[in-house]
Amino acid sequence: MSIETSGYGTFLIILIMAVVTLATRWGGVFVMSFVPINYRVQQFINAMSGSVLVAVLAPLAVTGDNGARLALLTTAVMMLTLRKPLPAIAAGILMAALSRQF
Amino acid sequence: MLSVEAGSVSLDRNLVWSGFKQLLPISLFVIVFAVAFGLAAAQTGLDATSTLLMSTLVFAGAAQFAVLDLWGPHVPVLPLVVTVFAINARHLLMGATLYPWLRELPRARRYGVMLVVSDANWAMSMQAFSNRKPGLGLLFGGGLALWSAWALGSWLGLKFGSVIQDPVSLGLDMVMGCFLLAMVLGGQKNLRMLIIWSVAAGASLLAYRYLPENAHVVTGALAGGVLGAVWTEKKHEH
């Protein structure tokens, strides 16, 4: 099932996003008032946090141009060395821009 | 298990204001990310109202970026719901870890405070609690600062977005990719995680090739999550 992104459709999509996100913000507190979240569930959520982002990125890296790959590589290296996201992201974008000029 | 000091769960106007001020430096960075989102949203074709509404009502950067990836004339609902949930699932754990202190609040305040929970204010309030200091002001006041910054930056990004003609040549199409990668690499890093990420990436790519559109995010997320649940870290007993 899809929602058209015209007129009220977009608003509905945003509403759905908001409700789902609210459920995640409230859900932990709510569940804990009945039963502690067990260790395996914690491990699942922790592993899923990074995995979902990797899952979005993987096709980007594979189908993107060299500029895209260079950008991701640059960001990765800078994050691992500097540990500051803002410079790492900026450097990645800069590398993409530079590599596309030539 | 950290014990809950009576003083550490107080929440009054002064603490909220103090929390707000303490998160202002980080809020500056948040503004920059939000500008990037506003730009990306404009390039994706979202109108100003929708972009602002999204940032204000959802207040979740990574998820918002990922949804732009799904955007088109139609947006499939199931991938939308699962993607937003999976990316934001860590809020569940934030709520759970804050519970010992939050439960001292009346219900309305408890859930009201959680409206603006995000990585930065969660981390700072947990740090305060572990030092037996009040953390709820950091959580709520700080959250308000982060939220305002996110909305403001999104609006600014919209303004810039209408000015830029060729985002790809400026590398701006990589804003989402680099942002998400920075978030991945900002988290826990060890061999186990690396293997989990590799499995997630592999699953995502296979799904991208062989499964219907947009199944790759769910597939990769579940593959990584299940592996993490099955192959747990050694427990640390407090």
Side-chain angles (χ1 to χ4, degrees):
Chain A
M1 187 185 116
S2 290
I3 300 176
E4 276 187 26
T5 54
S6 55
Y8 289 117
T10 304
F11 181 64
L12 184 57
I13 293 168
I14 293 171
L15 212 58
I16 292 175
M17 289 175 72
V19 168
V20 171
T21 306
L22 191 61
T24 62
R25 289 195 156 108
W26 281 354
V29 176
F30 185 71
V31 166
M32 285 295 277
S33 58
F34 301 110
V35 53
I37 294 182
N38 87 48
Y39 187 66
R40 221 174 267 283
V41 172
Q42 283 178 47
Q43 291 281 291
F44 175 81
I45 292 176
N46 276 326
M48 187 169 68
S49 300
S51 298
V52 65
L53 300 179
V54 166
V56 174
L57 283 169
L60 252 179
V62 165
T63 63
D65 65 342
N66 283 328
R69 299 198 192 116
L70 201 52
L72 292 175
L73 186 62
T74 308
T75 297
V77 167
M78 291 203 52
M79 267 311 278
L80 292 172
T81 52
L82 269 186
R83 288 164 214 218
K84 290 186 181 295
L86 209 49
I89 296 170
I93 294 173
L94 188 62
M95 287 305 276
L98 286 176
S99 78
R100 284 168 185 163
Q101 301 304 331
F102 303 113
Chain B
M1 192 53 198
L2 291 170
S3 61
V4 178
E5 291 257 318
S8 66
V9 295
S10 49
L11 181 65
D12 60 40
R13 197 162 289 168
N14 290 323
L15 284 173
V16 171
W17 178 233
S18 164
F20 185 91
K21 284 187 289 189
Q22 286 182 264
L23 269 290
L24 279 179
I26 296 187
S27 296
L28 290 177
F29 287 117
V30 170
I31 291 181
V32 178
F33 286 136
V35 167
F37 173 72
L39 268 167
Q43 302 297 349
T44 304
L46 263 76
D47 63 86
T49 314
S50 303
T51 307
L52 275 176
L53 208 59
M54 196 190 277
S55 286
T56 319
L57 291 183
V58 178
F59 180 39
Q64 288 178 232
F65 269 110
V67 166
L68 289 185
D69 208 29
L70 285 174
W71 210 262
H74 302 269
V75 171
V77 176
L78 194 57
L80 174 75
V81 169
V82 176
T83 300
V84 174
F85 184 80
I87 294 182
N88 287 325
R90 66 192 193 288
H91 291 151
L92 292 169
L93 294 183
M94 288 185 216
T97 49
L98 286 167
Y99 183 69
W101 294 275
L102 286 175
R103 71 170 160 202
E104 304 296 319
L105 290 177
R107 204 165 283 142
R109 286 202 179 183
R110 195 187 308 166
Y111 288 101
V113 165
M114 284 305 286
L115 283 177
V116 290
V117 75
S118 182
D119 302 273
N121 54 339
W122 171 77
M124 286 191 68
S125 63
M126 286 300 287
Q127 190 179 41
F129 287 138
S130 68
N131 290 326
R132 305 199 179 299
K133 300 245 185 70
L136 293 175
L138 279 167
L139 195 56
F140 188 60
L144 290 176
L146 296 171
W147 186 38
S148 312
W150 184 248
L152 176 64
S154 299
W155 179 77
L156 287 172
L158 281 173
K159 294 294 159 191
F160 291 140
S162 51
V163 167
I164 294 174
Q165 303 289 42
D166 185 8
V168 173
S169 70
L170 293 176
L172 291 178
D173 60 317
M174 289 310 296
V175 165
M176 177 187 82
C178 294
F179 176 82
L180 295 183
L181 185 57
M183 284 200 63
V184 174
L185 294 175
Q188 193 183 21
K189 288 180 285 287
N190 53 46
L191 183 61
R192 172 177 170 271
M193 266 303 164
L194 190 58
I195 293 176
I196 288 174
W197 293 337
S198 305
V199 167
S204 169
L205 289 170
L206 284 173
Y208 192 71
R209 179 98 154 73
Y210 296 113
L211 293 183
E213 242 200 292
N214 291 312
H216 62 281
V217 178
V218 179
T219 311
L222 285 178
V226 167
L227 180 57
V230 161
W231 178 28
T232 59
E233 298 168 296
K234 280 202 259 298
K235 242 191 206 188
H236 303 290
E237 296 300 330
H238 301 293

